[in-house]
Amino acid sequence: MKKLVLCLLAAAPLLLTACDPNRVFEKNTDFENYSWDVQQKPAFTFAIDDTTARYDVYFNVRNASAYGFYNLYVKHTLTGPKGPVGRPLLHHMILMDPKTGEPLGSGTGDIYDHQIRALRQLRFPQAGNYTLTLEQYMRQDQLPGLMAIGVRVQKLK
């Protein structure tokens, strides 16, 4: 019961963004047993209508305090209506202060949410569906303590 309450409290910031007019897309994928296996490659498909606009893309990360690293390496691949868009990129995200181990992000109890800007002022070349695929790029196959990963696409004003 305590875990359920903590999960609901940790989800509250994500629920409050439901009315955000700049959000084009936002979705999170939960990991079974709160562990991201290297074979799991969550893919997020979203539609882009306005090719003249610029967009920021964020990665949502949810981790427990039991996560054994201060950082997380994630590689992304973006595919558009006509195939690959750009080259795959490796992202280095800091989840905890490297010196003190103090968790960063917002959280309640031992669960922390991070929203990290991964791509800035991106312009999509064609209208249509795009798929952003994420891979964990750490040096071990299982990442216990990682509860979820997600993507948010936000249109800039």
Side-chain angles (χ1 to χ4, degrees), residues 88-152:
L89 289 176
L90 185 64
H91 302 271
H92 180 219
M93 297 179 275
I94 305 295
L95 306 181
M96 297 175 205
D97 185 290
K99 292 182 181 178
T100 66
E102 187 71 27
L104 303 174
S106 61
T108 304
D110 68 341
I111 299 171
Y112 300 92
D113 287 312
H114 311 267
Q115 193 166 74
I116 299 164
R117 186 168 37 196
L119 300 168
R120 298 172 192 254
Q121 298 189 15
L122 182 64
R123 195 168 282 189
F124 293 95
Q126 294 99 19
N129 288 333
Y130 287 80
T131 300
L132 189 65
T133 304
L134 303 179
E135 300 176 54
Q136 66 101 329
Y137 228 68
M138 299 294 281
R139 293 184 178 186
Q140 67 183 52
D141 290 348
Q142 296 286 328
L143 294 179
L146 272 179
M147 303 171 74
I149 190 86
V151 168
R152 174 186 170 93

Side-chain angles (χ1 to χ4, degrees), residues 8-28:
L8 291 173
L9 287 173
L14 296 177
L15 295 174
L16 294 175
T17 63
C19 299
D20 186 349
N22 297 324
R23 183 184 67 202
V24 173
F25 173 84
E26 187 164 13
K27 186 174 180 184
N28 299 305

Side-chain angles (χ1 to χ4, degrees), residues 40-93:
Q40 291 175 286
K41 298 176 183 176
F44 304 89
T45 300
F46 53 93
I48 294 294
D49 298 325
D50 185 355
T51 59
T52 63
R54 292 186 184 269
Y55 300 84
D56 281 344
V57 177
Y58 294 85
F59 294 159
N60 298 331
V61 179
R62 175 172 287 158
N63 68 285
S65 60
Y67 179 63
F69 302 96
Y70 76 92
N71 62 351
L72 174 65
Y73 283 98
V74 173
K75 183 173 89 170
H76 93 261
T77 305
L78 181 62
T79 306
K82 294 186 178 179
V85 177
R87 295 184 308 192
L89 289 176
L90 185 64
H91 302 271
H92 180 219
M93 297 179 275

